[in-house]
Amino acid sequence: MAFDQATGNVVLFGGRLGTTDLSTTWLYNGTTWTELTLVSHPSRRTGASMAFDPAIGKLVLFGGATTGARTTTWTFNGTTWTELTLVSHPSRRTGASMAYDPAIGKLVL
């Protein structure tokens, strides 16, 4: 879950219900939770890292786990998830923290 500065919403992705990992996206505007119905989205996972990157104006999601930890990176622009194809990426992980560091102008995982 992370705050989307571009839309003013809190965005929740994934998680677990009982023993089932989820791939749902929810928006919270301060008073109401709304589930989005999206064609494209990250696969089911728990423990993904997510933060807003003001340099690109989007949320960035990395990692998480289902049967094994993931190394995929996705961006979310408030309405659409897009998977990035990256030459290099961090190793697989779940439960890591991610935040934007304005001193260096980059996301730090």
Side-chain angles (χ1 to χ4, degrees):
M1 180 171 16
F3 180 69
D4 184 340
Q5 294 176 20
T7 65
N9 292 314
V10 172
V11 178
L12 170 68
F13 177 79
R16 179 170 284 158
L17 179 61
T19 59
T20 302
D21 292 336
L22 304 172
S23 63
T24 54
T25 301
W26 288 82
L27 302 181
Y28 181 69
N29 65 7
T31 57
T32 306
W33 282 100
T34 304
E35 183 177 5
L36 300 182
T37 303
L38 303 170
V39 174
S40 177
H41 54 77
S43 61
R44 299 179 298 148
R45 65 190 69 201
T46 62
S49 304
M50 186 164 53
F52 185 78
D53 185 344
I56 62 171
K58 298 176 185 177
L59 286 170
V60 177
L61 179 140
F62 175 79
T66 49
T67 55
R70 305 279 184 194
T71 59
T72 55
T73 301
W74 291 76
T75 60
F76 184 69
N77 68 3
T79 58
T80 305
W81 284 104
T82 302
E83 185 173 8
L84 303 181
T85 302
L86 304 174
V87 175
S88 64
H89 52 75
S91 61
R92 299 170 187 235
R93 64 195 67 215
T94 137
S97 297
M98 185 186 324
Y100 181 77
D101 183 345
I104 61 172
K106 296 183 182 196
L107 283 178
V108 178
L109 178 69

